[in-house]
Amino acid sequence: MDKVRTTFDVTKERIKKHLLEGKRFDSRKPEEFRDIVIETGVSENAEGSCRVKIGKTEVLVGIKMDVATPYPDSPNKGNLMVTAELLPLSSPKFENGPPKFPAIELGRIIDRCIRESKVIELEKLCIKEGEKVWTVFVDIYSINDDGNLLDAAGIGAIVALKNAKIPKYDDKEEKVVYGELTNNSLPLAKNIPISITTHKIGDSLIVDPTREEEDISETRVTIGSSDGVISSMQKGESIPLSVEEMEKILDLNEKVWKDIFKKVEKFVK
Amino acid sequence: MTTKNTQKSEISGTTKSKKAAEAKDLVGFKRIDGRKVDEIRGPIKAKVGVVDNADGSAMYQQGKTIAIAAVYGPKKMHPQHQQDPERGTLRCNYNMISFSVTERIRPGTNRRSTEISKIMEWALGPVLMIDKYPNKVVDVHVNIIQADAGTRCAAINAAAMALAHAGIPMKNLVSSVAAGKMDKTIVVDLNKKEEDYEEGEGATDIPMTFTPDGKLTHLQLDGKINKKQLMEAIELGKKACKEIYEVQKKALKEIGEE
Amino acid sequence: MSEEKHRKIIVPGEVIVKGDEYLPGEGTEKKGDEIVALKYGLAEESNKLIRIIPLSGGYQPRRGNVVIGKVELITFNGWVIDINGSENAFLPLTEVPRYVNKNELEDVMDINDAVVVKIWGINKRGIDLSIKSRGLGKIDEGIIIEVNPNKVPRVIGKEGSMINLIKEETGCNITVGQNGLIWIKGDKVEKELFAKKAIEFVTQKSFISGLTEEIKKWFEEEKK
């Protein structure tokens, strides 16, 4: 089956028309997310892992840690590296091969959300200043794409980080003893950075688009914030936004953040 | 410690005493996790329809090894120059996710995943009937979510279910397992610790794939083994594959009962 | 044997029945005196002919099928249409019920337009389409949904009983493409979405017997 189908134009027109009345095909309100299902500890060899489902969209996020030399301009700080892969198994849109722009952008957006929120206390990941620090790898994989992989990845990243445990480090041998975890969680601050993407379709603003809705999204703004403090933002695609629309997006983001926080709260305690 | 002389007789070995010793080994050998020599790891879990977007998909777990397979096709083959005008093409893509193993794997392909992708094509190809899809491709993508040895076998098992689930015409399913040898004992389904076994003759790892009617579509080996032991291992593997076939069949049949 | 009962799920390679009197139908082959499945699906027997009804897998184009497709390409004498099968299909100028000037092809149907077409021929070169009969042609508005093509017979029902029930209860015009694409057109989006929901209900419950009763009950509930 040549399933590289984008939504038919006639359906797109209907989606837009319905949105003008504030209605969506699956009866959700514009500011409503689909059901979120979170499972932690899904991959035992990872230092932390989780599976996040938003509706039928599914991602897997894993945390791996290693000891390395610090960056020269931050000799007493641990390293953070966020990578995303849009697996060909998750959608007919994704091809085998080196990461293309959507995967690179996704990784970088989530990286900024985590990094700029300073939720990971990188100074506490220093083992020996200038010589040895912990590197935290956050690896994001798509398993099924039915729209909004971005926000699913964002939730997955923070949940996996909160659930990770630091592996044992053998000082004598100077290497990590994988498979043996200490009881120590990562040094994390109390804030919970969650990234939420708002999409503009015609004159309507929605969050958590299905694949059909994503197909007609004209532009999107992803905001990483925690309790009203915005730490990262990215506008994607080409249609311009008015300042009023931007303000509406910020308001919407604040409202939705509170809803999402309630849903993921127990996984990030 | 075996001396050179005894080593020689073992390799040619058919003496009475050796047979007795082997029998004792088979019965008395204790595996690290307490399994019998012919016991597959549990839990064994299999499910189809795990990736909504795919034409067919399946998850296969054996012990701590978990594989997810998704099939897209038959569809037009791109790039065009790889099209086969006489028959359809099977294209497998195997990869382990970075955190499936204890030491992180850099995302992306590597030589091992490229080789295993090809091995999968050879293991699955013989049962597929895609001759009537010229210029088309059936893409099978498999990712290992968690690894504890036997990953290519789990991948093949998941892929076989996913191909059937996708409605691809097939003569049969195939089932795969790694048999092997630990020191002198023939065992089936080695886990990672067993693969790394170093005592005596060390570990020999023999992944293989069988059709339900007992034909081999895939066989690899690395280690140290004589012909007789190899034949034993293959027989043990064949038996184990029959068990695995039943699990795959059940998963496909249970699809309506949700 | 009634249509819905006595069907069991068969995996490829499985022996369905044994006995010389049986004949191998679609998705099966005869090996000795056994009928063996070559596809995953439900085994069905009718008059000693055994066939597999696929549960999954793509659409297999057939002559006479009415399907919904999307215009991929416009050539000098027609339109190349993606009908969700693994072959592209071609609608020539000559199979349109009115005269079309070679320069106005885009005006009749443009790239990405959705269209209801009929398959009138399948040959080595590809699939030949026509829009000469009633009910065929470009889709102007409405929603197009997609279901598993193997469930289309259930959505249509015996002699159209199921789809007609849905049309009546939802007040929509519905064209079911054999390739799993379904066009729903109503005077309100809510009605179209209601029809979509009804069709999804049918495809999810396609296994059970007495589906007509089930859906009647469902409509009663939904109307409350």
Side-chain angles (χ1 to χ4, degrees):
Chain A
M1 248 195 289
D2 275 83
K3 232 177 173 177
V4 194
R5 261 185 305 287
T6 48
T7 314
F8 279 92
D9 285 347
V10 292
T11 315
K12 286 182 188 179
E13 290 308 310
R14 282 294 199 258
I15 295 177
K16 279 192 203 163
K17 188 171 171 198
H18 216 40
L19 265 177
L20 285 173
E21 297 171 32
K23 297 190 200 156
R24 297 164 80 167
F25 271 26
D26 52 8
S27 312
R28 277 186 292 151
K29 298 201 198 69
E31 68 270 15
E32 214 181 314
F33 260 65
R34 289 166 285 179
D35 282 336
I36 301 178
V37 177
I38 300 174
E39 215 186 310
T40 55
V42 296
S43 188
E44 288 182 19
N45 293 322
E47 274 69 75
S49 63
C50 74
R51 168 182 285 124
V52 174
K53 285 196 220 181
I54 303 183
K56 291 195 213 159
T57 293
E58 184 178 331
V59 301
L60 278 182
V61 183
I63 310 293
K64 288 299 290 173
M65 293 180 67
D66 198 4
V67 172
T69 49
Y71 280 119
D73 54 355
S74 54
N76 65 338
K77 284 198 181 149
N79 296 325
L80 168 67
M81 188 159 145
V82 181
T83 317
E85 268 207 68
L86 297 179
L87 293 176
L89 77 51
S90 60
S91 167
K93 280 196 294 200
F94 306 142
E95 281 166 16
N96 206 11
K100 311 224 172 36
F101 180 73
I104 295 172
E105 190 196 16
L106 199 153
R108 289 178 65 85
I109 290 179
I110 302 303
D111 181 302
R112 281 198 283 277
C113 177
I114 302 290
R115 194 183 298 272
E116 299 307 324
S117 70
K118 308 243 189 299
V119 67
I120 306 179
E121 293 170 336
L122 292 172
E123 310 77 26
K124 295 197 181 152
L125 287 174
C126 179
I127 299 175
K128 192 167 185 197
E129 178 156 345
E131 285 181 37
K132 279 188 242 161
V133 298
W134 282 106
T135 302
V136 179
F137 293 97
V138 180
D139 292 322
I140 300 163
Y141 289 91
S142 60
I143 300 295
N144 191 62
D145 178 19
D146 189 24
N148 204 16
L149 282 171
L150 253 170
D151 293 356
I155 294 173
I158 190 62
V159 169
L161 283 167
K162 292 271 177 183
N163 279 273
K165 295 278 187 234
I166 304 182
K168 270 211 179 97
Y169 182 66
D170 187 331
D171 277 304
K172 266 218 196 92
E173 302 278 323
E174 296 200 324
K175 60 178 188 160
V176 181
V177 185
Y178 289 112
E180 280 188 50
L181 297 173
T182 64
N183 222 357
N184 301 327
S185 303
L186 285 170
L188 299 172
K190 292 225 167 27
N191 56 339
I192 312 284
I194 300 176
S195 68
I196 293 166
T197 310
T198 304
H199 291 252
K200 173 178 149 81
I201 297 174
D203 287 324
S204 315
L205 295 172
I206 61 166
V207 294
D208 191 27
T210 58
R211 187 170 35 96
E212 266 183 343
E213 292 172 324
E214 225 173 42
D215 274 349
I216 52 174
S217 164
E218 295 165 21
T219 187
R220 51 170 162 85
V221 180
T222 306
I223 301 173
S225 65
S226 180
D227 254 329
V229 178
I230 297 171
S231 48
S232 65
M233 205 151 75
Q234 173 112 333
K235 175 189 177 301
E237 308 307 329
S238 344
I239 301 292
L241 282 169
S242 70
V243 174
E244 289 77 26
E245 279 173 318
M246 197 55 227
E247 223 185 315
K248 279 201 197 131
I249 290 175
L250 289 169
D251 288 336
L252 187 57
N253 184 74
E254 229 180 272
K255 179 167 188 274
V256 176
W257 191 94
K258 294 200 178 91
D259 289 333
I260 301 303
F261 179 71
K262 271 198 219 120
K263 293 182 183 179
V264 308
E265 207 176 349
K266 65 173 185 172
F267 293 97
V268 295
K269 281 228 177 73
Chain B
M1 276 309 229
T2 51
T3 63
K4 236 185 173 160
N5 281 336
T6 44
Q7 255 185 343
K8 249 198 190 159
S9 71
E10 267 153 9
I11 287 172
S12 64
T14 43
T15 60
K16 228 181 186 171
S17 59
K18 188 182 178 277
K19 275 194 182 161
E22 276 174 8
K24 179 177 175 228
D25 273 346
L26 221 62
V27 165
F29 190 86
K30 264 261 156 69
R31 296 172 76 167
I32 302 170
D33 56 2
R35 276 187 289 152
K36 298 201 218 62
V37 294
D38 60 352
E39 209 177 320
I40 315 178
R41 290 173 279 176
I44 303 189
K45 294 190 197 161
K47 190 161 189 255
V48 293
V50 296
V51 177
D52 195 70
N53 280 344
D55 294 328
S57 59
M59 178 284 283
Y60 183 81
Q61 175 173 358
Q62 191 166 305
K64 294 192 188 208
T65 296
I66 306 175
I68 300 185
V71 171
Y72 289 93
K75 54 179 186 167
K76 284 200 208 75
M77 167 79 129
H78 292 294
Q80 235 179 319
H81 63 85
Q82 283 181 15
Q83 284 179 7
D84 184 342
E86 291 185 14
R87 57 184 63 87
T89 311
L90 169 67
R91 189 162 59 180
C92 292
N93 161 230
Y94 162 101
N95 216 342
M96 298 176 76
I97 67 177
S98 67
F99 51 89
S100 58
V101 287
T102 47
E103 279 194 52
R104 179 179 183 261
I105 300 175
R106 266 186 80 199
T109 49
N110 51 56
R111 285 166 194 263
R112 177 179 174 272
S113 61
T114 306
E115 189 198 19
I116 295 181
S117 302
K118 194 69 195 170
I119 300 285
M120 285 186 66
E121 285 169 19
W122 288 336
L124 297 158
V127 294
L128 293 188
M129 300 170 68
I130 54 176
D131 280 358
K132 58 174 185 171
Y133 298 114
N135 298 320
K136 303 282 184 308
V137 65
V138 174
D139 271 327
V140 183
H141 299 288
V142 188
N143 287 97
I144 303 297
I145 305 301
Q146 189 174 280
D148 185 23
T151 57
R152 74 194 65 191
C153 301
I156 291 169
N157 291 330
M161 287 188 284
L163 283 161
H165 184 235
I168 307 293
M170 296 164 80
K171 286 185 231 168
N172 235 322
L173 295 175
V174 294
S175 315
S176 183
V177 81
K181 183 167 78 74
M182 286 170 62
D183 187 15
K184 300 194 204 350
T185 313
I186 307 294
V187 295
V188 85
D189 195 19
L190 292 84
N191 61 29
K192 186 92 182 68
K193 286 213 175 86
E194 295 180 317
E195 252 187 5
D196 296 339
Y197 192 70
E198 282 178 7
E199 317 235 336
E201 294 179 3
T204 299
D205 182 36
I206 315 170
M208 60 188 80
T209 305
F210 275 99
T211 62
D213 54 348
K215 294 232 170 44
L216 268 172
T217 61
H218 147 243
L219 182 64
Q220 291 173 288
L221 184 151
D222 54 284
K224 174 173 158 170
I225 196 168
N226 66 40
K227 188 174 90 169
K228 182 166 179 292
Q229 290 170 317
L230 177 55
M231 293 315 292
E232 263 181 66
I234 291 176
E235 279 305 312
L236 209 61
K238 188 168 164 193
K239 236 181 71 188
C241 283
K242 281 211 164 86
E243 278 180 63
I244 292 171
Y245 171 71
E246 293 301 320
V247 173
Q248 293 168 298
K249 202 164 72 162
K250 187 158 177 261
L252 283 162
K253 288 187 185 249
E254 279 177 348
I255 194 176
E257 298 154 31
E258 303 218 359
Chain C
M1 140 179 19
S2 84
E3 274 201 45
E4 294 92 1
K5 298 183 194 147
H6 305 298
R7 285 175 174 179
K8 43 178 192 159
I9 299 183
I10 300 283
V11 307
E14 233 187 312
V15 176
I16 308 172
V17 278
K18 220 171 160 169
D20 265 318
E21 69 270 29
Y22 293 104
L23 293 166
E26 221 182 296
T28 70
E29 74 175 359
K30 189 152 187 171
K31 268 182 167 176
D33 66 344
E34 290 177 339
I35 303 288
V36 177
L38 296 176
K39 256 194 171 194
Y40 173 58
L42 296 170
E44 190 194 57
E45 187 216 319
S46 89
N47 290 328
K48 302 296 178 190
L49 180 72
I50 311 284
R51 66 184 186 113
I52 294 284
I53 300 175
L55 284 170
S56 51
Y59 164 62
Q60 307 289 2
R62 275 194 184 39
R63 262 192 77 185
N65 278 174
V66 169
V67 297
I68 293 175
K70 189 193 258 205
V71 178
E72 286 240 324
L73 205 65
I74 303 179
T75 69
F76 71 95
N77 66 335
W79 300 262
V80 176
I81 304 202
D82 172 11
I83 58 168
N84 198 21
S86 46
E87 295 289 347
N88 261 355
F90 186 68
L91 172 66
L93 272 177
T94 50
E95 285 300 321
V96 177
R98 63 179 186 84
Y99 170 73
V100 180
N101 186 297
K102 282 195 173 152
N103 293 320
E104 59 171 48
L105 279 137
E106 289 85 359
D107 301 332
V108 177
M109 269 181 303
D110 206 352
I111 297 199
N112 284 334
D113 277 346
V115 55
V116 186
V117 292
K118 188 173 200 163
I119 296 177
W120 70 262
I122 302 181
N123 54 56
K124 258 197 307 208
R125 287 174 296 107
I127 298 174
D128 298 315
L129 304 173
S130 171
I131 54 171
K132 267 185 170 162
S133 317
R134 245 169 45 112
L136 305 176
K138 178 169 149 183
I139 291 175
D140 52 355
E141 54 168 348
I143 61 175
I144 297 174
I145 67 170
E146 194 181 338
V147 302
N148 180 340
N150 300 290
K151 310 240 170 138
V152 164
R154 288 301 242 156
V155 173
I156 295 177
K158 216 187 262 188
E159 284 162 31
S161 55
M162 183 67 76
I163 196 64
N164 288 332
L165 174 66
I166 299 175
K167 282 182 192 174
E168 254 179 66
E169 294 282 350
T170 62
C172 290
N173 267 329
I174 307 177
T175 304
V176 180
Q178 292 289 330
N179 58 350
L181 290 173
I182 301 176
W183 171 33
I184 303 169
K185 182 174 172 183
D187 54 15
K188 279 211 181 99
V189 187
E190 277 83 2
K191 288 188 182 173
E192 292 171 351
L193 293 177
F194 189 30
K196 177 181 190 225
K197 229 174 158 191
I199 292 172
E200 282 167 357
F201 179 86
V202 171
T203 58
Q204 273 154 28
K205 305 267 177 172
S206 65
F207 278 92
I208 68 175
S209 50
L211 188 51
T212 323
E213 283 310 307
E214 282 294 314
I215 196 163
K216 280 188 181 150
K217 267 195 244 160
W218 182 84
F219 273 120
E220 298 288 312
E221 286 299 313
E222 289 289 317
K223 280 183 173 166
K224 287 190 190 142

